[in-house]
Amino acid sequence: MSKVMTMQEAISKNVESGDLLFVGGSQHGTPSAAIAEIVRQRINHLTVISILANTTLLIGEGLVDKVLTGYAMTDEKRSYALQRAKAVHNVSVTFKEYSHFGVALALFAGYMGVPFLPTKGHIGSDMMKYNENIQSIDCPFTGGQIGVIRAVVPDVGILHVQRCDAEGNTQKWGTLGVDHEGINSSRKVIITTEKIVDSDVIRRDPNRTIIPGFRVNAVVEQPFGAYPVHLVGCYNDGPSGFGAMRDQQSWENYVKEAIHGVKDWNEYLENLKKLNGDDFLENIKIKNPLKSEPVITGI
Amino acid sequence: MSKVMTMQEAISKNVESGDLLFVGGSQHGTPSAAIAEIVRQRINHLTVISILANTTLLIGEGLVDKVLTGYAMTDEKRSYALQRAKAVHNVSVTFKEYSHFGVALALFAGYMGVPFLPTKGHIGSDMMKYNENIQSIDCPFTGGQIGVIRAVVPDVGILHVQRCDAEGNTQKWGTLGVDHEGINSSRKVIITTEKIVDSDVIRRDPNRTIIPGFRVNAVVEQPFGAYPVHLVGCYNDGPSGFGAMRDQQSWENYVKEAIHGVKDWNEYLENLKKLNGDDFLENIKIKNPLKSEPVITGI
Amino acid sequence: MAQIKDTAEYSGIDQMIISASRQIKDTDAVYVGVGFPLEASILAKNLQAPNCTVILENGIVRASLFRLPWTTDTMESQLFAEQLTGLFYVNSLAQAGHLALGVMGAGNIDRYGNVNDTAVGDYNKPIHRWMGSGGANDVMSFCRKTIIIMEQNKRRFPEKVDFVTCPGYFDGEPEAREKVGLPPNTGPVAVITDLATYTFEDGEMTLESVHAGCGITLEKVKAALGWDIKVAKDLMDTEPPTEEEMRTYREKIVAARRVMPPRPMPSIPTPSR
Amino acid sequence: MAQIKDTAEYSGIDQMIISASRQIKDTDAVYVGVGFPLEASILAKNLQAPNCTVILENGIVRASLFRLPWTTDTMESQLFAEQLTGLFYVNSLAQAGHLALGVMGAGNIDRYGNVNDTAVGDYNKPIHRWMGSGGANDVMSFCRKTIIIMEQNKRRFPEKVDFVTCPGYFDGEPEAREKVGLPPNTGPVAVITDLATYTFEDGEMTLESVHAGCGITLEKVKAALGWDIKVAKDLMDTEPPTEEEMRTYREKIVAARRVMPPRPMPSIPTPSR
């Protein structure tokens, strides 16, 4: 059964104010277009769990109440996004800090359907003092102390990938960060993809599927959906303008140009080409594509 | 650094009497050739952890003291292998029984490097009464009861795969049973492979690697290394003779023909062809190979 | 193996598989064991549930139709699956509550739906042994609903099993599953045999319908049970197979049944349940 | 950023990276953070450790040589890796004890090797904030040995950190790591700065060598520390870079340093440490 819909539908049907949201694509293939649509729809009071991924924009637009993270600027003095959240939207963001692996473990516990996972990390650190989701217990087998990280089950997860089929059978390659555990822990699942492929492509390489169709609520075809973040096999990091959006003027310009001044991501991409030349997106595409050696199946 | 060696070397250098052994390939791609070599070298007092895989032969040859399993005939009255272990080798085998997922969890805990994993299964079952590796504790977060399965860290793990490179970067496709957690939990790792491929093949599809070279101690190229069990992309289940080896005569015939009467698996394969016709192995090869759609990388 | 002799054009076994297959909805993701459960799920995919996703424990997640394989993990059941992964992944799907339904066999089952796949008599000196849980404990612990398919006789339906491999409703006390830590709102919901179908009312197995169409009587059913079964107020005759069901069943299941391919080694993995 | 002015042909930073790279053995699997640690590991792969496996937290397991990337996860650092996976896998490798060495940066470090990457002053009203642990706690909790590379000044080397992001040896009590449940035989083994190198003796940071070759003196080192440092009995001058080391360092590291490519969005993932 096809799950294909527009980005507008995918977000409005599946993301609600107050949701606990997982954002995939830490460092690789961030779902930038989907994030932009959440901003466009001004869905607020979100709690976000992610590794390094696009939370700054959501924060600065006042849509985030709480962040579960291993790495973020939590100090208003040093973050324009936090200042803006407070000044423009009257939102104070709270943070629960883990080490990166703690975020992975919380999501992994959610994916497995257990209330926590044990770890030999985090223990003895002061993170435990300020994050009640990290505890230490007596190990039932060894007698020593063992850390435990509480499960996180996001209401909705978003992942951008290279290919999936209309039913939502989803394949991503390259580094996966916390994508596997994050998307599999999520109750509702939105997949945005560079390309919707025939199911036959998926089914000739089923080991690459990271979540099966029956777990997926929405499939959106969105080329350059991770731009300006790199996506293996597709495009490199986007050029120009880094360091902008650190003040009110540049931030508001960006939000207007990329989100509220356009109806969708495709119009934004078209505007990028108008501004920067028709070859703007072409230029960041990979230049020397390499193919994997096919694996064989059959009877 | 190349890890390539003969099966004889791989087993003699890495498997010792008294070892806790993980056998991969539950239901798919069992490392039959490697098991035969353990029998040939008569390495005994093994504890074996596996799902449905080739333990019967090891048991009947008196090489196994203990089995960690989710599914096995534990009753001497109903198992020729157990009768033979006792009568011929004076070995009484003990069993620790889990559900299948319990075996996966024990290995997964070993792979993660934690002393246990929690689960909502096994609890309330009588398996807990007879297997001290399954306990129930107060959940540190929810207050309710939660099952815990003790980690298993095998001394050595054996996996048969379709391809790996000389350094041991290993790729298997098709169902994986407990292969991923089993081989990654093992201290020493033996990979037997249908084919040793150029590292370039691995490195153009690194997402398929299930264990990296630095974790691997031995690589053995062994065509038909899973025979008579099917291996995706290579061959179907082997024909003839199922149901044999349920008595002394058939058992001893098999062990002579397949193991002690030949110097290695390749000689056994040659004998199979002599007995059954040159096309014997050719006939079980897949007839209609299908290729996966390559994934693209590059810069 | 007790084969039902009857005068109808279908046997109790046929009725059992067809009745079980009706329980699978088109939107379900179903955790399926080997044997009858696999047959029931393939039948459902050929009838009312073409889109249901079949989950096989060794790591197969499959929405597309496939021919009845001789066991769960074969070249054919793997080929063209939507996802191939491992036992850990499919059981995590189950444990996290994503699987609507489990369909499995059983060695013994008792009044409160507790299943014994391990030992009759003393565990250390058993009168009878099966191979153990396999994936059965996983299925019945995790799936939101579990259906058990098994041939019925008095020996296999004791009032209380000697060994609980898969907890049902323990002694029938309310919330007994939740108290030990099993996921809420799980447990056996139906037992379907070659004689009758059963549901669970307040945790107790309750006779729902008798396979009258193939000559089974209430007395026959009761004689093949180890206790005085609770009978539903609206006890019915089991809905006989429709023509379409029987045709599809004959074509896709009976004709496709294959014996395990003969193999030369003694140490072949036995298919799990 | 304190840049060492010196008369030699190499700076304290050069010495720091080269000294750190020497710690990596050809057989090691090394968990590497972004920045100086990445530079040190790429340098090692071009010198004495061509076969070492470099582990990057987002899921890169890489034995083959690669050009210094501008951060850990780039198209180039991914391309042709031996294994691409996720954060869970690489940290499981670490937690299970398979990684011989971790190399990381730090915000502050104290007398007993405790690292603060979080907050100076009160956690809720900090005088200074960093981005938090990233992968640092994972590296230092799990790797058999951890090396910290950082530029040195008195502020970054307090006697006691205000917030323990990554436990070192706590207060120096024997077995303190094991008591809280950290894996046995782990912890920081060296701190390498632009002024000096340190080891840990009985859990206490101990001055091992001074970068005399680029004009650093013992006094200068002591002035850039927040406590009276324990000095090794056999205090040495740091072994200066060899010609081969300097040539390789200039070619493979200095020439390959790139700034982060400019990007149009504010919400770019900041590279982790």
Side-chain angles (χ1 to χ4, degrees), chain B residues 26-28 30 51-52 54 56-57 70-75 77-78 97-101 104-105 108 119-127 130 136 145 174-178 181 227-233 235-245 251 254 286 290, chain C residues 57-60 70-75 78-80 84-88 91-92 95 118 123-124 126-138 141-142 162-167 170 179-183 260-273:
Chain B
S26 48
Q27 304 184 54
H28 170 227
T30 304
I51 297 274
L52 304 175
N54 267 343
T56 311
L57 180 63
Y71 196 74
M73 181 38 68
T74 65
D75 187 3
K77 293 195 296 293
R78 290 164 53 91
E97 295 188 78
Y98 304 78
S99 196
H100 275 341
F101 190 37
L105 286 166
F108 210 94
T119 180
K120 294 178 183 167
H122 287 72
I123 40 183
S125 96
D126 288 338
M127 287 184 283
Y130 301 96
S136 178
Q145 285 289 296
T175 53
L176 293 176
V178 294
E181 51 270 36
Y227 170 85
V229 179
H230 59 289
L231 182 65
V232 162
Y235 39 85
N236 277 285
D237 296 294
S240 85
F242 184 78
M245 293 188 64
W251 184 288
Y254 172 79
I286 56 166
L290 265 168
Chain C
E57 66 177 358
N58 211 38
I60 301 175
W70 64 270
T71 185
T72 49
D73 191 312
T74 70
M75 295 288 263
Q78 289 197 36
L79 185 69
F80 280 133
L84 292 178
T85 168
L87 210 145
F88 185 88
N91 281 296
S92 292
Q95 187 170 235
T118 306
Y123 178 77
N124 291 311
I127 297 161
H128 184 79
R129 265 293 318 205
W130 296 277
M131 303 285 271
S133 170
N137 175 279
D138 309 326
S141 295
F142 298 145
D162 290 347
F163 188 103
V164 178
T165 311
C166 313
F170 296 94
K179 268 175 210 154
V180 300
L182 288 162
M260 199 186 276
R263 296 200 263 188
M265 284 176 76
S267 45
I268 292 307
T270 309
S272 75
R273 30 145 51 105

Side-chain angles (χ1 to χ4, degrees), chain B residues 261-288:
Chain B
V262 292
K263 71 173 192 299
D264 60 18
W265 194 253
N266 288 331
E267 187 176 340
Y268 166 58
L269 294 174
E270 285 308 310
N271 284 346
L272 278 178
K273 289 199 275 186
K274 276 183 204 153
L275 271 166
N276 302 290
D278 276 350
D279 57 357
F280 179 74
L281 293 173
E282 208 53 41
N283 282 344
I284 61 169
K285 280 192 182 169
I286 56 166
K287 301 291 179 292
N288 300 295

Side-chain angles (χ1 to χ4, degrees), chain C residues 164-179:
Chain C
V164 178
T165 311
C166 313
Y169 300 103
F170 296 94
D171 295 326
E173 291 293 315
E175 308 279 306
R177 287 178 67 86
E178 287 79 359
K179 268 175 210 154

Side-chain angles (χ1 to χ4, degrees), chain C residues 9-228:
Chain C
E9 286 181 359
Y10 58 93
S11 69
I13 297 279
D14 300 341
Q15 178 76 65
M16 171 176 82
I17 293 164
I18 289 166
S19 288
S21 82
R22 291 172 184 160
Q23 303 261 347
I24 298 171
K25 294 199 197 77
D26 196 32
T27 51
D28 281 348
V30 198
Y31 198 156
V32 175
V34 73
F36 295 139
L38 188 52
E39 295 190 351
S41 72
I42 301 281
L43 182 58
K45 278 198 83 63
N46 280 283
L47 289 164
Q48 80 285 357
N51 296 299
C52 78
T53 300
V54 173
I55 313 280
L56 302 172
E57 66 177 358
N58 211 38
I60 301 175
V61 179
R62 173 141 213 157
S64 47
L65 191 61
F66 61 117
R67 199 160 70 117
L68 180 69
W70 64 270
T71 185
T72 49
D73 191 312
T74 70
M75 295 288 263
E76 257 186 283
S77 55
Q78 289 197 36
L79 185 69
F80 280 133
E82 276 71 10
Q83 184 178 28
L84 292 178
T85 168
L87 210 145
F88 185 88
Y89 185 83
V90 304
N91 281 296
S92 292
L93 279 176
Q95 187 170 235
H98 299 303
L99 303 190
L101 192 65
V103 187
M104 60 182 241
N108 285 357
I109 190 165
D110 73 15
R111 184 167 183 169
Y112 297 106
N114 304 296
V115 166
N116 182 359
D117 290 326
T118 306
V120 177
D122 182 68
Y123 178 77
N124 291 311
K125 278 197 175 296
I127 297 161
H128 184 79
R129 265 293 318 205
W130 296 277
M131 303 285 271
S133 170
N137 175 279
D138 309 326
V139 171
M140 203 152 115
S141 295
F142 298 145
C143 292
R144 293 205 293 277
K145 298 174 177 181
T146 297
I147 295 169
I148 294 98
I149 314 181
M150 58 192 288
E151 290 165 276
Q152 183 177 339
N153 62 47
K154 197 165 185 156
R155 195 172 32 80
R156 296 186 72 185
F157 281 69
E159 181 160 17
K160 191 171 169 55
V161 291
D162 290 347
F163 188 103
V164 178
T165 311
C166 313
Y169 300 103
F170 296 94
D171 295 326
E173 291 293 315
E175 308 279 306
R177 287 178 67 86
E178 287 79 359
K179 268 175 210 154
V180 300
L182 288 162
N185 305 312
T186 58
V189 298
V191 179
I192 301 177
T193 78
D194 51 348
L195 305 183
T197 72
Y198 307 83
T199 56
F200 288 87
E201 290 182 7
D202 299 327
E204 183 174 353
M205 203 187 295
T206 306
L207 182 62
E208 179 192 43
S209 77
V210 173
H211 297 349
C214 39
I216 311 299
T217 60
L218 180 58
E219 290 61 42
K220 210 166 176 177
V221 170
K222 286 188 165 185
L225 284 164
W227 72 98
D228 188 16

Side-chain angles (χ1 to χ4, degrees), chain D residues 103-123:
Chain D
V103 187
M104 61 182 239
N108 285 355
I109 191 165
D110 73 14
R111 184 167 183 168
Y112 296 107
N114 304 296
V115 166
N116 182 359
D117 290 325
T118 305
V120 177
D122 182 68
Y123 178 76

Side-chain angles (χ1 to χ4, degrees), chain D residues 78-98:
Chain D
Q78 289 196 36
L79 183 69
F80 280 133
E82 276 71 10
Q83 184 178 27
L84 291 178
T85 169
L87 210 145
F88 184 88
Y89 184 83
V90 302
N91 281 296
S92 292
L93 280 175
Q95 189 169 233
H98 299 303

